[in-house]
Amino acid sequence: MIRSTVIGSGAYLPDRVVTNKDLEAIVDTSDQWIRERTGIERRHIAADHQKTSDLAILAASRALDDAGLMGSDIDAIILATATPDETFPATAVKVQAAIGMQGGFAFDLQAVCTGFIYAITTADMYIKSGMVKRVMVIGAETFSRILDWEDRTTCVLFGDGAGAVILEAAEGDGTTDDRGILNSCLYSDGTKHHLLQTDGGASSTQTVGHVRMLGREVFRHAVVNLADAFAEVLNGVNLSPDDIDLVVPHQANKRILDATVKKFGIPKEKVVVTVQEHANTSAASVPLALNHALKEGRIAKGDLIILEGMGGGFTWGASLIRW
Ligand code: UT7
């Protein structure tokens, strides 16, 4: 059986750091409120000249270095973003050109904060079908560009960044001892789209709009949906929460992470938390957290890892990986 294994990881956070204290000068908020309600301490904001593609290219290049590969070794790029450089063409094709990938194909995928989970699952399907051998999967965002910097209920929550992984086809036995992606689940519920959306877009206002969110409602659904996804990917292959070595969740709010894993009795030491460093970077947050865990030496060969995400749409999902 073909399995998709992770053979490289890269991340990039812009140099400019904006602390909670800095935001106190912009909106009616406080460092204490932001820390207590979200766990966020600071966020990184792209320089004026940096676009989503620039962040994505840096993360992708670092993933190539990590894997010891060149752009020409990659068959496809799937870039998850809600903040593309332009309405079209896809930001992914700029990455394709920049890393020197001459053949293959590249496209963007839009599932907001669940984008990376959707992208890695989509890449897994292409690999399992035999169509491609190596896929660059990227989550990259410049959410700072679509924030209303006068709206304290949203502008304190988000940041910019990019993360990437390279997936490669490998032969497995079809058991949960195989290395690679073992199971995934994806969901969306369009009846909730108004709870987290932009108030503009190409075909509605001819602008990109700003982020609008009914935070309390989103919070409530996030805990339930993430817990469901978590259970489903494990149950689907007859594994239990005790088998998990590390949880790499979407980094939106530390209280959501705590509440989700508490349901399954997973100790906090097994959960990667990076939200304090970069706030919610939407599709970039899972690969950023994954890269952080790798750099800290928290992932060993054979470990069982869950990636999970939830965001606008609503969209949510999870991916179970044997490292
Ligand atoms: O990545 C996609 C998924 N997104 C999420 O997962 C976000 C989910 N939601 C959340 O993380 C939380 O709901 C928030 C962090 C957005 C808000 O936390 P909360 O505990 O749900 O607060 P709340 O919305 O119930 O607001 C409590 C109070 C309100 O004041 P009143 O009505 O009680 O007087 C808000 O106006 O906090 C006020 N508030 C603020 N105060 C200081 C809202 N934003 C701020 C702020 N600074 N930045």
Side-chain angles (χ1 to χ4, degrees):
M1 165 173 197
I2 301 176
R3 294 287 195 187
S4 308
T5 55
V6 181
I7 59 161
S9 158
Y12 173 74
L13 285 169
D15 292 338
R16 185 175 163 216
V17 173
V18 174
T19 64
N20 295 344
K21 270 260 171 268
D22 294 332
L23 292 179
E24 289 179 5
I26 302 174
V27 285
D28 179 16
T29 191
S30 68
D31 176 44
Q32 190 189 356
W33 190 95
I34 301 171
R35 274 177 201 254
E36 285 179 4
R37 300 283 177 139
T38 71
I40 296 166
E41 295 173 17
R42 63 192 79 85
R43 68 283 297 137
H44 295 246
I45 303 293
D48 290 348
H49 68 273
Q50 283 182 313
K51 301 190 185 83
T52 294
S53 61
D54 297 307
L55 278 49
I57 289 162
L58 283 162
S61 304
R62 289 173 184 181
L64 286 172
D65 288 346
D66 187 43
L69 296 175
M70 310 225 294
S72 52
D73 297 319
I74 303 297
D75 302 320
I77 297 175
I78 306 178
L79 191 158
T81 189
T83 47
D85 288 10
E86 292 121 19
T87 302
F88 76 86
T91 303
V93 299
K94 290 190 174 178
V95 181
Q96 179 187 28
I99 66 171
M101 181 185 145
Q102 278 124 19
F105 59 97
F107 64 94
D108 288 359
L109 186 152
Q110 158 65 293
V112 211
C113 298
T114 321
F116 189 78
I117 306 294
Y118 270 61
I120 202 169
T121 305
T122 305
D124 183 37
M125 296 301 132
Y126 277 116
I127 287 174
K128 283 201 175 115
S129 77
M131 187 176 179
V132 295
K133 291 249 177 311
R134 286 195 201 106
V135 185
M136 174 78 76
V137 184
I138 308 170
E141 302 278 14
T142 47
F143 248 62
S144 63
R145 306 269 157 80
I146 56 166
L147 293 174
D148 174 353
W149 287 97
E150 293 180 359
D151 175 10
R152 68 174 184 172
T153 68
T154 51
C155 77
V156 305
L157 303 174
F158 295 90
D160 302 335
V165 299
I166 298 170
L167 291 181
E168 183 178 70
E171 270 304 316
D173 298 328
T175 72
T176 53
D177 290 334
D178 286 349
R179 296 185 65 207
I181 298 177
L182 301 178
N183 199 14
S184 303
C185 69
L186 300 179
Y187 286 101
S188 63
D189 175 2
T191 66
K192 307 284 189 308
H193 86 275
H194 58 287
L195 297 176
L196 176 50
Q197 62 176 152
T198 58
D199 58 8
S203 101
S204 53
T205 58
Q206 296 83 56
T207 62
V208 292
H210 289 123
V211 176
R212 302 295 172 204
M213 175 167 70
L214 296 175
R216 212 176 299 177
E217 280 292 292
V218 178
F219 189 108
R220 202 165 55 80
H221 286 283
V223 175
V224 175
N225 292 343
L226 287 170
D228 285 352
F230 190 98
E232 184 175 332
V233 285
L234 283 171
N235 292 342
V237 288
N238 295 318
L239 290 172
S240 82
D242 292 342
D243 297 313
I244 293 293
D245 293 298
L246 201 68
V247 182
V248 186
H250 170 47
Q251 308 286 319
N253 186 323
K254 183 155 186 310
R255 284 158 56 218
I256 295 177
L257 312 191
D258 291 345
T260 310
V261 293
K262 200 172 156 201
K263 281 192 174 213
F264 297 96
I266 292 194
K268 285 182 178 174
E269 306 78 66
K270 289 190 174 182
V271 185
V272 181
V273 182
T274 53
V275 70
Q276 70 282 358
E277 178 57 40
H278 53 67
N280 184 347
T281 56
S282 183
S285 95
V286 170
L288 279 170
L290 183 64
N291 185 264
H292 180 81
L294 284 164
K295 282 199 171 137
E296 296 247 292
R298 291 177 70 183
I299 303 178
K301 195 171 168 183
D303 279 356
L304 191 66
I305 295 165
I306 278 196
L307 314 182
E308 57 173 26
M310 149 86 197
F314 288 152
T315 52
W316 67 100
S319 187
L320 184 68
I321 305 178
R322 173 85 61 199
W323 206 258

